[in-house]
Amino acid sequence: MGSRIAVFGTGYLGATHAACMAELGHEVIGVDVDESKLAKLAAGEAPFFEPGLDEVLQANIDAGRLNFTSSYAEAAEFADIHFIGVATPQRRGEFAADVNFVDSVVATLAPLLTRPSVIFGKSTVPVGTAARLGAMARELSSLGDAVEVAWNPEFLREGFAVKDTLHPDRIVLGVDVMTPGRAEEAAREVYADILAEGVPFLVTDRETAELVKTAANAFLATKISFINAMAEVCEAAGADVSELADAIGYDARIGRRFLNAGIGFGGGCLPKDIRAFMARAGELGANQALTFLREVDSINMRRRTRMMEMTREVAGGSLIGARVAVLGAAFKPDSDDIRDSPALNIAGQIQLQGASVTVYDPKAIENSRTLFPTLGYAADVREACDGADITLVLTEWEEFRRLEPAYLDSIVRQRRIIDGRNCLDQAKWRGAGWEYRGVGRR
Ligand code: UGA
């Protein structure tokens, strides 16, 4: 018999977690305040694009293991194990994370609990949040110590969310070391099938678990900014950053993954997580330890300006009146997520310079139009590139990687392409008579 689980929040994290826990054989109820999201999910459709997720949703709904509700009372009645998967966005005008959604899950749920329960936090939170929520839950619940809060950070990547959840690199669990309860045992039950595959399971205190997550994202962000800094030097020195990355990447201590230079990192995680990490370290009196992340952030943001400038250079010094085709709007391929997307940021900057910009993305057009209604949008590559003076590839979708110069030859006005992700074969494009510019490439 599986466990009875509630998952609070049905965004990228929560919806995936709910579906995958049902896939592991548990009985799951997904909880959200947004009725329109719930209606979609109940029909087996994720409210965002994530490869393979709809199939897992549908299969488990059909099997009767997965349901959705907006009622906390129903969730409290149904489950003994609760996962928090709500968002912790950047606070407006500040670096710190906004933990209001996480707080309100505990504040609403704790008084409704009728039997011993474990609340596992999955959201990325400032270190110290779990202990604070643990105390809050105990205070608000008549069950006292029988309600535990543990932290079980999530490391899934969008685009690989199902695979990362069912086959993670590791499972990290932070428990209350002062009053150890059932949390570890409950996690071992929930993740039994995954642990049986030999996936490492690390049990720590809650603070360490919270920090593992932020440290991992800070490291990844640093790795990307490192290679983007190298791209700047390569451009100045007439060297090639892709060859450099290949060569240093063979050193197993460095590794080739996450060493792709380009327009930098975006999305709902890395940018806000490094900022929240700096803010939290400051509160703890350890701000000096993370001042380098400020530089990581600046290198990253500079990529966006640099890409606009490169486009202006290619246009001959001015973008006024130029027609620019932007291929890609999502912050990365296989996602329709445009939160802090470098591609859209660049498209906006180019438009502000007086160009007429037309954007195409295989999945993210609808979200983009809502956020940036003033940009032009196209239904496909041909329409976006129609009459273009410059074509930019800003998200490395497979569809764009496979583009053949001949396909665009007769559509564009000028054969000029800028590869913001170094994902095209430059020899092919140059060989076909195109002016090709990459990032940190000769
Ligand atoms: C990231 C982490 O990779 C996950 O482990 C983590 O769970 C997640 O954040 C989170 O905190 O929820 P994600 O935001 O889905 O996952 O995206 P990544 O694959 O990390 O890519 C982030 C950004 O970095 C993208 O804009 C991508 O284009 C960029 N990137 C990535 C590069 O510019 N170069 C690279 O070599 C790799």
Side-chain angles (χ1 to χ4, degrees):
M1 253 287 277
S3 310
R4 298 183 87 176
I5 296 175
V7 180
F8 297 84
T10 58
Y12 292 92
L13 166 57
T16 308
H17 194 67
C20 290
M21 291 308 100
E23 182 73 12
L24 290 175
H26 304 299
E27 287 178 70
V28 182
I29 189 153
V31 190
D32 205 300
V33 290
D34 186 336
E35 296 280 358
S36 65
K37 266 192 195 170
L38 293 172
K40 275 199 165 181
L41 285 161
E45 196 190 322
F48 47 84
F49 174 72
E50 178 62 43
L53 181 56
D54 285 357
E55 290 78 354
V56 181
L57 280 168
Q58 193 65 64
N60 287 284
I61 292 168
D62 291 349
R65 282 191 299 265
L66 179 58
N67 289 288
F68 293 93
T69 183
S70 58
S71 162
Y72 272 62
E74 189 184 341
E77 179 57 40
F78 174 81
D80 324 286
I81 293 173
H82 303 270
F83 283 98
I84 306 177
V86 294
T88 50
Q90 189 174 339
R91 274 192 223 152
R92 218 173 249 279
E94 281 179 59
F95 270 15
D98 178 351
V99 292
N100 278 322
F101 298 122
V102 173
D103 281 21
S104 90
V105 170
V106 175
T108 315
L109 176 66
L112 298 169
L113 296 170
T114 55
R115 52 188 190 282
S117 308
V118 183
I119 302 175
F120 291 106
K122 293 203 81 65
S123 311
T124 303
V125 290
V127 57
T129 304
R132 184 174 59 73
L133 293 176
M136 180 172 144
R138 270 200 295 270
E139 210 176 291
L140 293 174
S141 166
S142 55
L143 301 165
D145 283 354
V147 177
E148 284 170 64
V149 172
W151 222 256
N152 171 219
E154 180 56 60
F155 304 99
L156 69 81
R157 297 159 297 167
E158 286 174 27
F160 301 91
V162 172
K163 177 181 163 287
D164 285 353
T165 306
L166 292 174
H167 308 282
D169 293 336
R170 75 297 207 186
I171 293 175
V172 176
L173 178 69
V175 298
D176 181 351
V177 283
M178 303 308 283
T179 39
R182 271 201 72 239
E184 181 178 344
E185 190 191 331
R188 286 190 183 278
E189 278 165 32
V190 169
Y191 297 127
D193 289 359
I194 297 176
L195 296 177
E197 286 178 1
V199 169
F201 182 50
L202 295 99
V203 182
T204 72
D205 54 84
R206 292 182 291 197
E207 290 71 23
T208 306
E210 291 168 318
L211 279 174
V212 166
K213 170 65 196 217
T214 9
N217 276 3
F219 190 87
L220 294 172
T222 304
K223 205 170 175 190
I224 299 169
S225 276
F226 175 83
I227 202 64
N228 281 328
M230 294 306 111
E232 289 183 23
V233 180
C234 283
E235 271 170 31
D240 188 298
V241 76
S242 297
E243 290 168 12
L244 179 137
D246 289 344
I248 63 172
Y250 278 115
D251 184 330
R253 293 169 303 174
I254 297 173
R256 182 63 179 81
R257 293 173 73 191
F258 262 67
L259 268 191
N260 295 321
I263 56 174
F265 57 83
C269 301
L270 300 192
K272 65 112 175 144
D273 285 353
I274 60 169
R275 293 172 193 153
F277 199 14
M278 283 186 270
R280 186 62 184 137
E283 288 168 6
L284 295 169
N287 44 339
Q288 241 191 337
L290 298 186
T291 44
F292 75 96
L293 286 179
R294 204 171 260 284
E295 196 53 36
V296 166
D297 202 357
S298 326
I299 294 168
N300 191 53
M301 297 310 280
R302 200 149 72 219
R303 300 318 298 163
R304 304 179 182 189
T305 324
R306 175 75 194 111
M307 188 51 42
M308 180 275 289
E309 287 165 358
M310 193 191 278
T311 312
R312 195 170 53 197
E313 275 163 40
V314 170
S318 167
L319 281 163
I320 296 170
R323 291 190 65 151
V324 177
V326 168
L327 302 183
F331 85 107
K332 68 174 195 183
D334 293 320
S335 172
D336 63 355
D337 194 349
I338 53 156
R339 287 176 293 171
D340 203 357
S341 167
L344 278 180
N345 180 306
I346 291 163
Q349 287 194 49
I350 290 173
Q351 190 188 42
L352 287 174
Q353 293 286 317
S356 143
V357 179
T358 309
V359 181
Y360 167 70
D361 187 282
K363 294 287 174 194
I365 291 295
E366 212 178 302
N367 287 342
S368 306
R369 215 193 283 275
T370 311
L371 196 67
F372 286 97
T374 55
L375 287 169
Y377 293 98
D380 53 31
V381 171
R382 289 179 79 93
E383 189 187 331
C385 295
D386 188 21
D389 296 303
I390 305 174
T391 300
L392 268 61
V393 176
L394 298 185
T395 311
E396 67 277 34
W397 284 94
E398 190 58 29
E399 179 183 349
F400 306 151
R401 290 172 172 275
R402 287 165 180 266
L403 273 178
E404 286 298 325
Y407 181 71
L408 294 182
D409 275 344
S410 59
I411 306 169
V412 296
R413 187 150 68 191
Q414 305 198 59
R415 291 188 287 172
R416 303 195 286 215
I417 192 154
I418 301 182
D419 181 3
R421 294 291 187 177
N422 287 351
C423 63
L424 305 175
D425 177 351
Q426 58 174 333
K428 180 168 83 180
W429 287 85
R430 286 198 173 127
W434 281 65
E435 178 181 345
Y436 170 96
R437 295 280 291 269
V439 172
R441 289 181 133 177
R442 275 184 299 274

